[in-house]
Amino acid sequence: MWPYARRRRRPWPLLLALLRSTALLAPRPVLRGPRPLRSTPADIQPRTGGAGNRPLRATPANAEPRTESGGSKKPPPKFTPKAYDGGKYANPREAHRAAAKMRKDAEAAFLDRPRDALELYRRATALAPSHSALAWLRLARLHRQFKDPSSARAALRRGTRHLPKDARLWRALAQACKAAGDIEGARNHYGVVTKLDPDFVAGWDAWSRLELREGNPVKAAQLAKRGLSAVGALDAETPPQQSERLWHAYALALAAGGGGSSIDPDAAAEAILRKAVGIHPEHSHLRHALGVQLYKKGATDDARKELRRAAIKGHDEALLSIARLEEEAGRVEEARTAYKRACGLIKRSPGTHEMAPDGATAAPWVAWARFEEDNGNIEAAAALCRRASVRFPRDADVHAQWARLEVDQDRAREIIFAGLEGSVKNPAKLYKALGELEATWAAQYLVRECAVQGLHSARRAFYNGARASGGDDLVQLVFAWAHAEWALGQALNGVSETGASRARKLFVWAARLARRKAPRAAPWVSLGRAKFELSLGRHDVARRAAARAVRFARRERDLRTEADAWRVLARVERGSARASVFVDRARKADARDAAAKKPDHPLARQWRHRAVPLDETFGCYAARWEFEEEEEFW
């Protein structure tokens, strides 16, 4: 009611004039929400007509809304359900009920019908974005399942905007950023996790291991110690839940030199692990870590005791570590018995009647097959892979290892194709193994036509593998594909401009993938590009690629690749005074590599012979076909 409508004489002419004015008849601003099927809706700001309230794009979900105050820290406005589906729901309560129903249906369809679950979670998070953190986590997980990590990160960013105080969402976003190669973003998000929930053990543990992986052991040790202090594990009578993983991360950081130059890393790590085992005597992972640390120290007998205790307490990886310990000690029969126990073929321990579990992975079987291969028992190794393929028909490593052990080429192809038809979990590994086998066999042919046919099969396998790859092993696959194109160009009477362009594009692609997803692969990817350009006579490009390989190798502490890169630079500068300088630097890098030869894991398998580079394995150089020119001349 108008305030002057209560008067005795109502001014109808004035009311009509006011109603006809443009101020009252102007249309009200309409809240335009996004389409209901998209998963990027709730970050769009309403159009109110003002210059300071222009709508934001939905892609960068961490952008601050543009307001008249210049961007405040206030949360985004909560939309009413009328903004969706054309006003399908009459009030927010009905929309929230519908979102809850969608989440319930999505949980029921999560395993059997992931596509339907993805669509339901999209709609549920659009209707009620601030109601369930689990819905955002499930939505991101389904995006990753369908090989769409960018959409998973976008969903997690929107979830953190609507639920900014949920530490689980920030941790999931940090893990997604780490997987995408955004290390600085992952650090920032882990910092938010630890501020929101100082008692969140998983946040401190993940942040510490990230810094250790990036080569910062001092910061990793500091973070692990801060986490132990925050959760009250340093001086508490009753240890907090899941504090064992922080003790383990602290010990790993100290073993890598996180205590400083004045502290012996091995002694400090052993002391922390003994203290942790005293607090958590029943924890098998800490027992296993202590056994590995003792083996690294040189106390083989004490290490064997701790590893056996860890195995008795149910740590299956300790069984494989015992087998590797016996193998490194030269006790062949004891190692073979330990491998049998690790594979679940005999009892877990001589004093128990419990059989070791079959295991969820085929790693012990593959390790046993490699042990037999190193000892010259090729047939026994192939038989083990055949038995493992029956138990683990969807494991790609088993089929790939079995195919490499077969002498008959047709039989090896049948093994790989059988694995592909059986829907293995990672088909890209099998395609990569097939391509490498085809290219290696092609390099052994003395007739160009046979070599060309084999290299065509190899490039087809690499292409199929790149299409099936989820991104983790794509760098190695593209790198091998580039060498196959290089070898194919040489087999076709020299590398043409078209063949060189194809191989060069693949090398560039591999370098980009290495920078984004696998920084440790950047040195040898740049080294392969340098060798390729040097073979074509493009010395300037080869020099720049070799210099990048040296820089990346120093960053990743890859002394072997650094030495090879210096040798390539010496070949580029052949005939000049700088060549001798580069040769001397290569020798120094080899000496440092031989002196500091320490594996990442003390019980990791060390190959007896250095792997042959792909350019030599695939026959990428023109010298391979020089004998044909001599025959034609005569």
Side-chain angles (χ1 to χ4, degrees):
M1 293 291 296
W2 298 96
Y4 42 77
R6 297 178 182 178
R7 297 177 182 177
R8 186 174 298 177
R9 297 177 62 183
R10 299 178 180 178
W12 297 109
L14 180 60
L15 287 175
L16 291 176
L18 288 174
L19 290 175
R20 290 175 182 176
S21 64
T22 57
L24 293 180
L25 294 181
R28 291 187 177 182
V30 180
L31 296 179
R32 296 182 180 179
R35 296 180 182 178
L37 295 183
R38 296 185 59 182
S39 62
T40 61
D43 297 331
I44 302 179
Q45 302 295 324
R47 294 180 181 266
T48 56
N53 288 325
R54 292 177 182 173
L56 290 175
R57 293 189 303 172
T59 305
N62 54 354
E64 294 293 335
R66 297 180 182 178
T67 60
E68 295 179 357
S69 61
S72 64
K73 298 296 182 179
K74 296 180 180 180
K78 294 184 178 180
F79 274 59
T80 60
K82 290 184 179 180
Y84 306 99
D85 290 342
K88 179 178 178 181
Y89 303 102
N91 52 60
R93 202 171 283 178
E94 292 185 7
H96 295 163
R97 291 198 195 99
K101 179 66 167 57
M102 289 178 186
R103 290 196 298 267
K104 185 176 180 181
D105 295 342
E107 290 177 5
F110 186 76
L111 297 177
D112 299 333
R113 294 174 288 116
R115 290 283 182 187
D116 297 341
L118 177 64
E119 192 62 35
L120 288 170
Y121 276 126
R122 279 178 175 176
R123 299 191 179 194
T125 52
L127 284 175
S130 303
H131 275 216
S132 175
L134 181 61
W136 290 107
L137 293 172
R138 291 284 181 89
L139 178 61
R141 181 178 175 181
L142 288 169
H143 277 304
R144 290 194 301 269
Q145 181 177 342
F146 289 112
K147 300 180 181 180
D148 192 1
S150 60
S151 297
R153 292 195 305 274
L156 290 171
R157 288 193 184 99
R158 291 192 302 275
T160 54
R161 289 195 64 195
H162 291 288
L163 296 168
K165 295 184 179 181
D166 194 288
R168 296 176 301 169
L169 284 174
W170 287 104
R171 177 175 175 263
L173 180 57
Q175 290 176 336
C177 291
K178 182 180 70 172
D182 185 9
I183 304 301
E184 194 62 32
R187 288 192 180 103
N188 296 334
H189 298 323
Y190 279 132
V192 175
V193 172
T194 54
K195 288 180 181 179
L196 289 175
D197 190 0
D199 296 335
F200 195 18
V201 176
W204 292 105
D205 176 64
W207 194 2
S208 175
R209 295 178 190 272
L210 171 67
E211 296 296 343
L212 182 62
R213 176 177 172 269
E214 292 300 316
N216 303 321
V218 177
K219 189 174 182 180
Q222 292 174 356
L223 288 171
K225 191 173 182 180
R226 283 174 56 191
L228 288 170
S229 177
V231 302
L234 291 177
D235 49 2
E237 296 181 359
T238 303
Q241 292 183 354
Q242 297 185 353
S243 59
E244 308 92 344
R245 56 198 305 177
L246 275 178
W247 286 109
H248 186 249
Y250 190 26
L252 290 179
L254 290 177
S261 58
S262 60
I263 300 177
D264 184 11
D266 294 336
E270 182 183 351
I272 290 297
L273 285 172
R274 288 190 182 279
K275 181 178 180 180
V277 168
I279 299 174
H280 306 276
E282 298 299 324
H283 199 269
S284 59
H285 289 268
L286 290 176
R287 291 275 183 188
H288 178 259
L290 179 58
V292 172
Q293 186 63 35
L294 290 172
Y295 176 78
K296 183 179 179 181
K297 178 184 175 181
T300 306
D301 295 335
D302 296 338
R304 187 182 290 109
K305 292 179 182 178
E306 291 295 336
L307 291 175
R308 285 178 177 173
R309 290 172 183 170
I312 291 173
K313 294 183 182 300
H315 192 44
D316 296 335
E317 188 180 351
L319 297 169
L320 185 58
S321 297
I322 293 173
R324 287 287 303 127
L325 185 145
E326 301 295 352
E327 181 182 351
E328 291 295 327
R331 304 169 64 182
V332 178
E333 292 300 327
E334 288 80 357
R336 187 173 287 113
T337 303
Y339 276 119
K340 291 180 181 179
R341 187 175 289 115
C343 294
L345 300 181
I346 58 178
K347 296 177 183 178
R348 182 191 296 273
S349 178
T352 64
H353 296 283
E354 180 185 0
M355 294 291 289
D358 293 338
T361 63
W365 291 89
V366 176
W368 189 6
R370 289 176 178 173
F371 164 72
E372 297 292 349
E373 181 185 2
D374 290 344
N375 287 279
N377 302 324
I378 306 298
E379 296 181 357
L384 286 172
C385 291
R386 181 170 60 252
R387 293 174 63 183
S389 65
V390 176
R391 294 196 175 198
F392 307 96
R394 298 189 61 193
D395 194 283
D397 292 331
V398 172
H399 294 276
Q401 181 69 11
W402 186 11
R404 293 189 184 99
L405 292 172
E406 288 292 339
V407 181
D408 188 3
Q409 299 180 6
D410 295 333
R411 176 61 176 162
R413 293 189 186 97
E414 289 178 2
I415 293 170
I416 292 181
F417 287 138
L420 291 173
E421 293 175 358
S423 301
V424 294
K425 294 180 180 179
N426 193 353
K429 284 187 177 181
L430 286 186
Y431 281 119
K432 179 176 177 291
L434 178 60
E436 290 178 349
L437 288 175
E438 294 286 357
T440 305
W441 295 331
Q444 300 173 3
Y445 292 130
L446 300 179
V447 182
R448 284 184 182 267
E449 288 75 10
C450 297
V452 168
Q453 184 178 0
L455 289 171
H456 275 298
S457 301
R459 68 189 296 204
R460 191 181 307 115
F462 289 133
Y463 169 74
N464 293 330
R467 294 184 60 187
S469 175
D472 296 338
D473 50 358
L474 188 58
V475 178
Q476 299 180 5
L477 202 148
V478 174
F479 186 67
W481 186 5
H483 281 81
E485 294 288 351
W486 181 8
L488 180 61
Q490 289 291 357
L492 293 171
N493 297 319
V495 181
S496 61
E497 294 183 1
T498 304
S501 176
R502 284 198 299 265
R504 187 175 295 112
K505 288 179 180 178
L506 290 171
F507 276 117
V508 171
W509 185 16
R512 290 177 180 174
L513 289 172
R515 286 195 296 269
R516 287 171 49 198
K517 297 184 177 181
R520 295 186 178 182
W524 44 266
V525 169
S526 299
L527 179 62
R529 171 75 184 280
K531 291 181 179 180
F532 168 70
E533 299 294 350
L534 181 61
S535 68
L536 299 181
R538 303 181 64 187
H539 289 187
D540 293 337
V541 183
R543 186 183 296 108
R544 291 194 296 269
R548 287 195 300 271
V550 170
R551 186 171 68 253
F552 294 150
R554 287 182 172 179
R555 184 190 66 187
E556 301 297 333
R557 301 177 183 178
D558 189 353
L559 296 174
R560 178 179 295 180
T561 305
E562 181 184 351
D564 293 340
W566 285 123
R567 292 190 185 92
V568 172
L569 284 172
R571 292 171 57 190
V572 172
E573 302 292 342
R574 182 178 298 173
S576 64
R578 302 179 63 185
S580 59
V581 177
F582 294 150
V583 170
D584 184 62
R585 291 180 180 178
R587 291 174 180 171
K588 290 181 179 178
D590 284 332
R592 293 199 307 271
D593 184 31
K597 195 64 178 177
K598 290 184 179 180
D600 296 336
H601 194 285
L603 292 174
R605 181 177 298 278
Q606 299 298 304
W607 303 111
R608 298 179 180 178
H609 306 285
R610 184 176 177 178
V612 181
L614 289 180
D615 52 348
E616 299 179 14
T617 305
F618 291 1
C620 297
Y621 296 105
R624 175 190 166 199
W625 304 105
E626 289 181 354
F627 72 94
E628 280 195 353
E629 297 178 359
E630 295 177 359
E631 290 180 357
E632 292 177 359
F633 176 77
W634 291 104

